[in-house]
Amino acid sequence: FFFFFFFFQAEDGIRDVERSRGLGDVYKRQVFHINAWRLYKKSWKRKLNKLTAQRLFKLKLRAAHKIHRAWKRYKHIASYKKTKGRIVSIQAHWRGYKEYRKYKAVRELVLKIEACARMYLARKKFVKVKSFTRRLQAMIRLFLHRYHKRRHIAARKIQNFMQTMYFCLLIVIEKIERS
């Protein structure tokens, strides 16, 4: 009887030298162990008739050693992958933390630069507003000075006119009193 086993892999790279991380690793190992078992079984059946008890014991012992070595190798690789996964996770967290610290430092610098830029723009605007306010105040003072000066001149004219009228009235009253 011949049995054919087909294993479908969910990822590319089954022919790669470096083993992939997906289910392909399991399939590769299964195919390897099944083929090894078949070869061992065939060779064992052929030699079974020719073997003595002592040679049969040695053959079984060698087979047990091979299985034991394969099992130890498998356990060692599994342990290594588990440890490697943990190490990679720690390294990723550490790198992330370092990048976050860099990001925070750069962010602080950017915020300081932005604050300086805002301060510069605010000062520039303040200087413009201040100079405009001073010019406006100067114009108002000038207007008030001219206005008060005009009012003063007008008041002087009115006063002069009133004095003139008063003196004229006095003269007229004197003339009326004389006549």
Side-chain angles (χ1 to χ4, degrees):
F1 293 103
F2 291 97
F3 293 99
F4 293 96
F5 293 95
F6 295 96
F7 295 97
F8 298 98
Q9 184 168 0
E11 68 179 42
D12 291 337
I14 196 165
R15 290 174 217 89
D16 290 345
V17 175
E18 189 176 358
R19 292 186 181 242
S20 60
R21 292 185 179 189
L23 296 173
D25 293 346
V26 176
Y27 296 149
K28 287 176 190 174
R29 277 195 298 277
Q30 285 178 352
V31 170
F32 173 74
H33 291 303
I34 289 170
N35 289 338
W37 172 250
R38 281 185 191 155
L39 290 173
Y40 169 73
K41 199 166 141 183
K42 285 180 184 177
S43 66
W44 185 73
K45 281 183 179 179
R46 276 188 235 135
K47 295 177 183 177
L48 184 62
N49 297 332
K50 299 176 185 177
L51 298 177
T52 62
Q54 188 177 11
R55 287 182 72 190
L56 184 60
F57 176 76
K58 285 182 182 178
L59 186 61
K60 286 182 180 180
L61 189 62
R62 264 192 251 136
H65 281 300
K66 280 185 180 180
I67 292 170
H68 182 66
R69 271 198 316 257
W71 177 251
K72 278 179 69 175
R73 183 173 182 268
Y74 170 76
K75 289 301 278 182
H76 178 70
I77 289 172
S79 172
Y80 169 75
K81 284 184 178 181
K82 195 174 186 181
T83 305
K84 184 180 176 187
R86 290 175 181 161
I87 290 170
V88 167
S89 176
I90 290 169
Q91 287 174 343
H93 287 301
W94 177 250
R95 284 189 203 109
Y97 173 71
K98 281 181 17 183
E99 289 299 319
Y100 179 70
R101 280 191 357 208
K102 284 181 190 175
Y103 162 75
K104 279 181 69 176
V106 169
R107 185 169 182 249
E108 285 181 25
L109 292 174
V110 168
L111 290 176
K112 284 181 183 179
I113 291 170
E114 285 178 350
C116 289
R118 283 193 300 270
M119 184 174 63
Y120 170 76
L121 293 174
R123 281 183 182 172
K124 193 174 176 182
K125 186 176 179 181
F126 172 75
V127 167
K128 281 184 180 179
V129 170
K130 186 177 176 182
S131 67
F132 175 75
T133 305
R134 284 188 176 172
R135 279 189 274 142
L136 187 62
Q137 286 174 346
M139 288 172 55
I140 290 172
R141 276 192 221 105
L142 181 66
F143 172 77
L144 288 176
H145 176 69
R146 286 180 181 171
Y147 175 74
H148 288 299
K149 189 175 180 182
R150 284 183 194 155
R151 276 186 62 192
H152 181 68
I153 291 171
R156 290 294 279 169
K157 284 182 181 179
I158 292 171
Q159 285 175 356
N160 287 339
F161 176 75
M162 292 302 279
Q163 282 177 355
T164 307
M165 290 302 283
Y166 177 72
F167 287 125
C168 286
L169 187 64
L170 281 177
I171 292 174
V172 170
I173 290 178
E174 267 184 40
K175 283 188 180 182
I176 291 180
E177 282 181 1
R178 282 189 205 167
S179 38

